[in-house]
Amino acid sequence: MPEDKNTIEPIDAAFDDVAKKVVTPATPLANNNSGLQAKTGQSLAIPKQLKLDLGIEVERVVGGIEMGVLENGIPYLTQRGLAEMTGAARRSIQEITEEWQEAQTSGVWRGRMTYFRDYLTKSKFDEPSLFIEISKDGSPHYAYPDMVCMAMVEYFAFEAQRTNETAVTNFRNLARYGLQKFIYDALGYVPEDPWKLFNARVSLLKDSVPVGYFSIFKESTGLMVDLISAGLPVNQHTVPDGSVGGTWGRYWTANDLEAKYGPRVEYPHYYPPEYPQSASNPQGAQAYPNEAWAEFQNWFRTIYLPTKYPTYILKKANLLPGGEGEARQLADMYKPQQLEG
């Protein structure tokens, strides 16, 4: 029986071999891909945007496709990898990226941008750019998240004026396999238990607060549990209790609560070794008199959660797969509910 080139090899096969069955890199152009070169004086680099404080967990080339996973678990393809996956020139990927940025800025959606808007809206993606700009070896690096990549593959398979078989083949295979799963498996990436670091901090800080005082970390655990349950990775990049503690500390000083409840005291606060903050352990954290607990609870519920927390969580939008849209949903978690009637 002739071999079906679209059949995925058994699971015990080398993954590079499996990858070659799942995705088909674009056919190289003649003259060392000279067809991908920009015009004189132009560069294939994407226009500048705000760079995010987000690193690469793992990246390599698999089956001819350059791919990776960011620290927050978002799988991505590089612009070069996306061009290979879609069978399109990098110039075409750049043009679509620029058109998206223009449409987001102007609010005018026309031509193929209506396809990308409709497709990505279903994935709750509404970011200013189609890529995430990060830093790699000191240089800008452009990571296209998996939902954007699938939109591109489907576009070049069925919607573009000049569709191609590379995109069609890859779309059919990835529709079955899933791009996120493909990238995770290809790179041997296993998502970290979202509760691991939180539980490690809880264990380290047990019984560390002096008797007669309460800690902001312990009082913030409910918020952290809500955020982890909602999908925000609570790790070295997100320390919600730091936001709560800093804001409460300023409130404590501004309102001279020490005169009312007595002085706060410092206690040793340790971070798990997985946190870079652990290099300067122990940290000096503030514990507050139990007599101030009721006032803290009232402040936390009526001031911090509805007015301060939204600002904090929106700054963490880059850590969420759904970006700013998802961050805004999280920002509304504690929004006061309107009573009917």
Side-chain angles (χ1 to χ4, degrees), residues 196-269:
K196 178 182 176 182
L197 293 179
F198 171 73
N199 291 334
R201 289 192 69 197
V202 170
S203 298
L204 276 179
L205 295 173
K206 183 180 180 181
D207 300 327
S208 62
V209 180
V211 175
Y213 295 82
F214 66 90
S215 73
I216 301 304
F217 174 80
K218 184 177 181 181
E219 299 306 319
S220 304
T221 54
L223 171 61
M224 287 186 272
V225 167
D226 287 345
L227 292 177
I228 294 172
S229 299
L232 180 71
V234 176
N235 52 29
Q236 66 268 29
H237 300 292
T238 51
V239 185
D241 53 297
S243 169
V244 177
T247 310
W248 166 250
R250 290 187 289 274
Y251 179 85
W252 174 273
T253 301
N255 291 275
D256 194 21
L257 295 184
E258 180 173 326
K260 184 177 182 180
Y261 299 111
R264 56 189 178 179
V265 299
E266 189 172 282
Y267 72 97
H269 180 107

Side-chain angles (χ1 to χ4, degrees), residues 64-66 77-85 90 144:
I65 309 295
E66 191 173 41
L77 299 179
T78 63
Q79 189 185 76
R80 181 179 294 106
L82 184 53
E84 292 286 350
M85 181 77 77
R90 288 183 64 185
Y144 288 78

Side-chain angles (χ1 to χ4, degrees), residues 135-208:
S135 179
K136 181 182 179 183
D137 301 327
S139 301
H141 195 61
Y142 307 111
Y144 288 78
D146 56 325
M147 72 281 290
V148 172
C149 295
M150 283 305 300
M152 290 276 195
V153 172
E154 185 167 341
Y155 173 76
F156 284 105
F158 306 113
E159 302 292 334
Q161 290 184 347
R162 296 178 61 184
T163 59
N164 67 80
E165 285 303 312
T166 296
V168 171
T169 300
N170 288 336
F171 173 80
R172 289 172 177 166
N173 286 327
L174 291 171
R176 297 195 302 267
Y177 200 83
L179 183 56
Q180 182 187 73
K181 177 174 172 55
F182 172 75
I183 293 176
Y184 279 4
D185 290 354
L187 299 174
Y189 174 80
V190 178
E192 191 172 62
D193 178 1
W195 299 97
K196 178 182 176 182
L197 293 179
F198 171 73
N199 291 334
R201 289 192 69 197
V202 170
S203 298
L204 276 179
L205 295 173
K206 183 180 180 181
D207 300 327
S208 62

